[in-house]
Amino acid sequence: MKKIFGLVIIIFSILVFPIESLAVDYSIDNSRIDAYLQPDGNVMVTEKHTYQFEGEFNGITRTLIPKKNTKIIDVTAEEKGSKLDIEQEDNLYKIHRKGENETITIEIFYTIENGVEVFSDVAQFYWPFFDESNESDYGNMNIFVHPPEKTGNVIAYGKDAAADSADTQRDGRVHFSMGQVDSGANGDIRVAYDASLFPNAPIAKDQAMKQDILADKENLEKEQAAFEHRQDLLSGMAPFVIGVFVFYLLALLVYAVKQRRAVQLEVEHQYVSAHFVPDLMMSLPATLSFMKSGLFDANVLTASLLDLVRKGYVKKEREDTFSIIHMQTDYQHENILLDWLFYKIGNDGIFHLKDLKDYTDEESNHETYWKDFEAWRQAVKEEVKTHRLIDKQTKLRTIIGLSSIIVVPFAILFGVHELFLSMFLAILLFGALLIFAALFRYKTVKGAILYKQWKEFQEKYPAMNDKDWQDLHNDDQKQAFIYSIGLNDKQLDKKNEQIKEVLPQNDRYNADILSFLLIASLVQNQFEDSHTVSAATTSSGGSPGGGAGVGGGGGGSGAF
């Protein structure tokens, strides 16, 4: 329950940046791109980017990805009229300009061959100067498209980040005022002029295109209007949707508190404190499994073998040798453990600790070792299940898990319609409900009493004096040792060491207990080594994007 009430869900996105951007702290405050359309269909481009750096830097980067049937040529860069060195790696251009804690403005010049597509009636410049591969935010992006000469017959519009940003001037220039453009955004621009302005350009297709461009613009405007309508509708719905699921989650938490409180009240009514070692409701391995929340390790395995000795199924021949007395055990997992250790690893009912080392030194035995370990572990868990110590509320958790899926479509819709706060809250609620469904369970009255008794023992044992220890029954002493060994608690281990030091070595009564403590260490070390030896252990870089803009083009900016 503490896990549920202490639940803090952080929903975050893992953004993978190129190595260059991780090494430099910068922002791009202003960007201006001027595209001068030429009569021959080429486009002369001038870009001006203002970077603000914190710390050392080596320069800036610009990725220029050409569209199909186009080519980027003659790339140069300047700062205040002085040329800068450029290093090209495919579509990535590194412009070298070292400095520290500066604000700099770099101009980039290049030509787009065949950047203008000419048709029988119109010619268009349809271009993405950046796309989703862009790693940087543009603080203030402005793009200007200049026709070869003044004209009044212009069609212009933009998509995504460039939507609703086109402003056509009287002389035919088009200004796309985009403002803040986030990294990873597309922003295609499309401008069409009369084909007669490009007499020297090759014909892309001998067909009319004006009506298609106008239709595309009209469809885009309709889509934008529909998008805004849906956005307004969802914006109004969001508080109610979020509110309903918040109330649902709170109701579940209240229910969980009530169930836990009801169990606590009944435990207080029924609980009787054990004198020292609690009476065993189930086997010691099962008790350890319950107290360790199902964790099975070499400590539990050691305790289980020692418990077989305590119960008389196994005899200690020497410090490193054990033999089976009989196989008529109380539990299935005890029978599995005897067969595993004394016949598969050992031989004919005799188990030497060295047998375990020899067995796990053979790599071919590792898979079998873990299969047998898992079979024993599952058998112990089956015993725990039969006692109904945990109410797993399976039906309720299934309902909660399935109902949480209802939030997912809303989260997607909120995200698609740029209602990011509502999207985040919806994802947060989905995660909270999903985790609640996964973790919600509580101890039954029987389980809570068992847990409380053994917790009480764990508190009493380290403080126990020598006289009280000597007054205990031999079997209680053994159970205390075995439990503390299996639990692997520092305070309990410390108490075991103290008892080992004060036990009279020549007292026949104490010889059996002292032997337990001595062999426990040997068995524990061997099981830990075998677990370690047999445990199987198993265990990307970036490049410029391929262009997610129109026609495969695109690009972005960065620094190094």
Side-chain angles (χ1 to χ4, degrees):
M1 292 303 299
K2 290 181 180 178
K3 292 180 182 178
I4 296 174
F5 298 112
L7 179 64
V8 177
I9 307 172
I10 302 173
I11 306 298
F12 64 94
S13 298
I14 301 174
L15 302 177
V16 181
F17 294 99
I19 293 172
E20 292 87 357
S21 67
L22 291 174
V24 182
D25 187 5
Y26 68 93
S27 63
I28 305 176
D29 298 336
N30 284 286
S31 292
R32 171 171 174 152
I33 300 176
D34 287 273
Y36 298 91
L37 312 189
Q38 304 299 306
D40 61 0
N42 291 341
V43 181
M44 310 288 288
V45 181
T46 299
E47 298 189 5
K48 184 182 290 187
H49 302 282
T50 300
Y51 279 70
Q52 183 175 325
F53 287 98
E54 293 184 14
E56 294 183 359
F57 62 94
N58 292 307
I60 71 169
T61 65
R62 182 71 169 105
T63 303
L64 300 171
I65 304 172
K67 288 171 54 177
K68 184 179 180 181
N69 299 323
T70 68
K71 189 177 180 181
I72 305 293
I73 62 171
D74 301 333
V75 181
T76 60
E78 295 181 1
E79 181 186 16
K80 297 179 181 178
S82 298
K83 285 196 173 185
L84 301 173
D85 292 334
I86 296 180
E87 178 185 353
Q88 183 180 355
E89 298 175 2
D90 295 324
N91 297 320
L92 176 68
Y93 298 84
K94 289 184 175 181
I95 301 168
H96 292 265
R97 199 297 200 178
K98 291 185 178 181
E100 182 178 0
N101 297 322
E102 287 186 67
T103 297
I104 64 173
T105 298
I106 303 293
E107 289 185 282
I108 304 171
F109 307 92
Y110 58 92
T111 298
I112 307 173
E113 281 190 350
N114 300 319
V116 178
E117 298 172 278
V118 180
F119 303 93
S120 61
D121 53 352
V122 293
Q124 70 172 4
F125 179 58
Y126 195 1
W127 197 262
F129 283 101
F130 54 86
D131 70 345
E132 63 187 28
S133 68
N134 176 38
E135 66 188 50
S136 305
D137 295 339
Y138 292 114
N140 182 30
M141 171 62 77
N142 290 276
I143 299 176
F144 294 84
V145 179
H146 305 261
E149 58 184 75
K150 292 182 179 180
T151 182
N153 190 11
V154 185
I155 304 170
Y157 61 94
K159 296 182 178 180
D160 300 317
D164 293 329
S165 66
D167 179 27
T168 303
Q169 310 295 315
R170 288 185 178 182
D171 59 1
R173 286 182 303 161
V174 180
H175 175 201
F176 292 90
S177 180
M178 301 182 196
Q180 172 77 26
V181 176
D182 294 332
S183 62
N186 288 314
D188 302 343
I189 63 169
R190 192 173 194 178
V191 181
Y193 297 102
D194 192 278
S196 62
L197 296 176
F198 303 90
N200 301 323
I203 302 296
K205 285 185 180 179
D206 190 13
Q207 66 181 54
M209 184 59 71
K210 183 175 182 179
Q211 293 304 316
D212 289 344
I213 296 173
L214 289 171
D216 184 56
K217 181 182 179 183
E218 184 180 354
N219 288 335
L220 190 66
E221 290 171 349
K222 287 180 179 179
E223 289 174 4
Q224 182 64 25
F227 174 86
E228 291 173 356
H229 175 72
R230 293 192 304 271
Q231 188 181 53
D232 290 342
L233 183 65
L234 288 168
S235 180
M237 288 175 56
F240 297 99
V241 173
I242 300 299
V244 165
F245 282 98
V246 167
F247 179 80
Y248 179 42
L249 180 60
L250 290 175
L252 291 172
L253 292 172
V254 169
Y255 172 77
V257 170
K258 286 184 175 180
Q259 291 299 107
R260 184 169 183 264
R261 182 58 182 160
V263 170
Q264 288 176 335
L265 290 172
E266 189 60 30
V267 169
E268 291 172 6
H269 177 69
Q270 296 185 21
Y271 187 74
V272 177
S273 181
H275 171 63
F276 179 57
V277 178
D279 293 334
L280 288 175
M281 293 186 189
M282 51 188 179
S283 70
L284 269 173
T287 302
L288 285 165
S289 171
F290 177 70
M291 296 301 292
K292 296 180 74 166
S293 301
L295 174 64
F296 285 78
D297 51 20
N299 300 84
V300 179
L301 199 52
T302 301
S304 299
L305 176 59
L306 294 178
D307 197 45
L308 293 175
V309 175
R310 177 188 72 85
K311 295 175 75 172
Y313 302 139
V314 171
K315 180 182 178 182
K316 180 180 74 70
E317 301 290 352
R318 297 190 301 274
E319 286 187 354
D320 63 343
T321 305
F322 301 85
S323 63
I324 288 181
I325 295 176
H326 65 82
M327 295 278 291
Q328 289 74 45
T329 61
D330 297 324
Y331 302 99
Q332 177 67 17
H333 60 80
E334 293 175 331
N335 197 272
I336 291 173
L337 186 60
L338 287 172
D339 182 64
W340 177 31
L341 296 181
F342 289 82
Y343 290 96
K344 289 188 176 181
I345 295 176
N347 187 35
D348 292 333
I350 305 296
F351 172 64
H352 303 273
L353 292 182
K354 187 177 180 298
D355 294 337
L356 189 59
K357 182 180 184 305
D358 292 342
Y359 187 82
T360 53
D361 280 347
E362 291 289 336
E363 190 173 344
S364 59
N365 290 328
H366 291 178
E367 184 177 352
T368 304
Y369 178 92
W370 285 108
K371 282 183 179 179
D372 290 331
F373 177 81
E374 180 63 18
W376 168 74
R377 188 179 76 89
Q378 287 298 330
V380 176
K381 290 178 69 176
E382 285 301 318
E383 184 197 344
V384 177
K385 284 181 184 178
T386 61
H387 289 271
R388 290 202 74 250
L389 304 177
I390 300 290
D391 190 339
K392 294 185 178 181
Q393 293 279 312
T394 304
K395 289 183 179 179
L396 177 62
R397 288 165 55 210
T398 301
I399 292 171
I400 295 169
L402 292 174
S403 63
S404 69
I405 299 174
I406 299 173
V407 186
V408 175
F410 288 103
I412 294 171
L413 285 171
F414 293 150
V416 168
H417 291 84
E418 299 177 2
L419 302 172
F420 298 118
L421 177 60
S422 298
M423 178 193 72
F424 174 79
L425 292 174
I427 294 174
L428 196 68
L429 284 167
F430 170 69
L433 289 169
L434 208 59
I435 293 178
F436 187 96
L439 299 181
F440 177 54
R441 63 196 68 197
Y442 53 87
K443 297 179 184 70
T444 62
V445 173
K446 182 179 179 180
I449 290 175
L450 176 65
Y451 187 83
K452 187 175 181 179
Q453 285 180 335
W454 284 99
K455 276 292 184 181
E456 199 172 77
F457 163 77
Q458 290 170 215
E459 294 171 0
K460 287 180 180 178
Y461 186 40
M464 194 175 199
N465 60 45
D466 296 342
K467 182 180 182 304
D468 290 339
W469 169 259
Q470 293 290 347
D471 290 342
L472 286 176
H473 189 275
N474 180 269
D475 193 59
D476 284 341
Q477 292 177 339
K478 289 180 179 179
Q479 287 185 48
F481 279 135
I482 293 169
Y483 180 82
S484 60
I485 290 165
L487 196 66
N488 194 27
D489 179 86
K490 289 183 179 179
Q491 292 297 320
L492 302 188
D493 290 341
K494 185 178 179 181
K495 183 62 179 179
N496 285 344
E497 292 300 319
Q498 290 175 353
I499 291 172
K500 202 187 305 183
E501 291 174 3
V502 301
L503 281 177
Q505 301 288 323
N506 57 354
D507 191 328
R508 291 184 63 186
Y509 175 81
N510 292 314
D512 195 25
I513 297 299
L514 188 60
S515 174
F516 247 65
L517 285 169
L518 293 174
I519 65 171
S521 178
L522 290 172
V523 174
Q524 173 68 21
N525 290 337
Q526 189 56 62
F527 276 131
E528 284 182 349
D529 290 344
S530 298
H531 263 45
T532 302
V533 169
S534 60
T537 57
T538 58
S539 50
S540 79
S543 58
V550 59
S557 299
F560 66 101

